[in-house]
Amino acid sequence: KKIIETINISKTYRMGEELVQALKSISIIVNKGEYVAFMGPSGSGKSTLMNIIGCLDSPTTGTYILNGKDVSDMTENELAEVRNKEIGFVFQTFNLLPRASCLDNVALPLIYAGYNKSDRTEMAFQALKNVGLADRVGHKPNELSGGQRQRVAIARALVNNPSIILADEPTGNLDSKTSHGIMELFHELHQKGNTIIMVTHEDDIAHYAHRVVRLRDGLVESDTLNPNPTRGK
Ligand code: ADP
Ligand code: ADP
């Protein structure tokens, strides 16, 4: 069942007088429960495509259908709801609030979603437990290692039980061992039925995905299934 479908989407940025065509014509279908890696050289359009898929940005031309709905028909409120409830974003730069505890960082999206305080605490604790950080709930981000911070960011992305996880270089700042730990976590999320799309430039990280889409100059260069993906433990 299709969850994401882009039909001939393009994206043009204006830089002063100059136009930059970041995406030329991208048509991709992702089914529910797929685990996809986007690869490609710097500047090939990966982040632009992720932003469009995450409804953070809209295409210049073409159609994006999410869960059967044309995103261009959605109101601002509907878009905010989709971003808040259906999509979990994992950014490379962690984006955690430095002065807030892990628990409060993870609970933040739940405030926007309208949960009361005791539900927020319970859900945030559960999400931290799921990423192996039950003993770090009261710590602040700067009291954690890079890998632990990334797991806090993942807990925050997942706390609302989003069906789609979008991760832009989720292991980008991490050492190899920590990176593979994060990939174990993604493997479990995939097993649970989540749809995962991640951007990575590392072959061994992409190898966890079941499908690899390569972009080049704003076009899909190749789209292949991985016959033997790396599994978690
Ligand atoms: P990637 O993630 O593969 O490195 P991007 O999607 O970030 O690629 O960028 C694709 C192209 O679009 C690049 O040429 C980049 O310079 C340009 N671009 C990206 N964002 C902007 C922007 N906000 N304004 C102007 N040009 C941009
Ligand atoms: P570990 O103990 O897991 O190795 P470190 O704190 O040494 O964790 O960080 C690992 C990597 O993650 C380092 O390359 C560091 O630059 C990067 N990193 C750590 N914290 C952040 C952050 N808040 N934003 C971006 N990169 C970070």
Side-chain angles (χ1 to χ4, degrees):
K1 185 172 173 304
K2 286 182 216 175
I3 191 161
I4 282 163
E5 180 172 21
T6 72
I7 306 167
N8 294 323
I9 58 171
S10 76
K11 180 74 185 182
T12 306
Y13 293 109
R14 178 178 286 281
M15 296 240 296
E17 296 288 280
E18 217 185 316
L19 296 178
V20 179
Q21 210 172 5
L23 299 177
K24 287 173 183 159
S25 176
I26 304 272
S27 298
I28 291 179
I29 291 173
V30 176
N31 290 321
K32 203 166 166 22
E34 271 198 282
Y35 186 177
V36 186
F38 287 166
M39 301 191 79
S42 175
S44 57
K46 305 179 296 294
S47 299
T48 300
L49 183 57
M50 290 289 270
N51 287 342
I52 291 172
I53 289 174
C55 302
L56 298 169
D57 200 356
S58 43
T60 308
T61 63
T63 307
Y64 173 31
I65 295 169
L66 174 62
N67 265 327
K69 274 185 100 175
D70 186 332
V71 170
S72 67
D73 293 337
M74 292 186 195
T75 63
E76 262 317 308
N77 278 342
E78 285 176 304
L79 284 173
E81 176 122 341
V82 164
R83 286 191 292 255
N84 236 313
K85 297 202 174 146
E86 288 184 41
I87 300 173
F89 296 94
V90 181
F91 295 107
Q92 182 186 4
T93 48
F94 301 76
N95 281 316
L96 300 173
L97 303 176
R99 290 170 197 283
S101 68
C102 289
L103 193 80
D104 287 343
N105 265 289
V106 172
L108 196 63
L110 300 173
I111 297 179
Y112 302 122
Y115 288 95
N116 70 38
K117 174 118 181 147
S118 70
D119 284 349
R120 295 202 300 267
T121 302
E122 174 60 32
M123 290 165 80
F125 179 72
Q126 196 57 48
L128 281 163
K129 198 172 150 208
N130 289 344
V131 298
L133 289 177
D135 57 345
R136 291 288 186 276
V137 290
H139 286 61
K140 301 212 167 82
N142 67 3
E143 298 166 332
L144 301 176
S145 73
Q148 288 171 330
R149 280 180 221 165
Q150 186 63 310
R151 282 189 279 153
V152 175
I154 291 169
R156 186 183 50 188
L158 300 179
V159 70
N160 267 337
N161 285 317
S163 53
I164 303 170
I165 295 157
L166 299 182
D168 199 344
E169 298 275 6
T171 62
N173 288 313
L174 304 174
D175 60 49
S176 168
K177 183 163 168 283
T178 311
S179 297
H180 288 280
I182 298 292
M183 286 301 103
E184 302 263 322
L185 205 56
F186 275 40
H187 176 74
E188 283 168 29
L189 293 168
H190 175 242
Q191 299 282 84
K192 285 185 193 159
N194 287 298
T195 306
I196 304 177
I197 302 179
M198 67 175 171
V199 169
T200 183
H201 60 268
E202 294 169 89
D203 285 322
D204 60 333
I205 295 299
H207 207 264
Y208 282 87
H210 292 220
R211 174 178 167 195
V212 177
V213 175
R214 283 176 198 276
L215 300 185
R216 182 176 292 275
D217 295 333
L219 292 166
V220 174
E221 179 184 57
S222 67
D223 184 345
T224 54
L225 292 177
N226 184 352
N228 187 21
T230 311
R231 288 161 185 282
K233 280 191 217 92

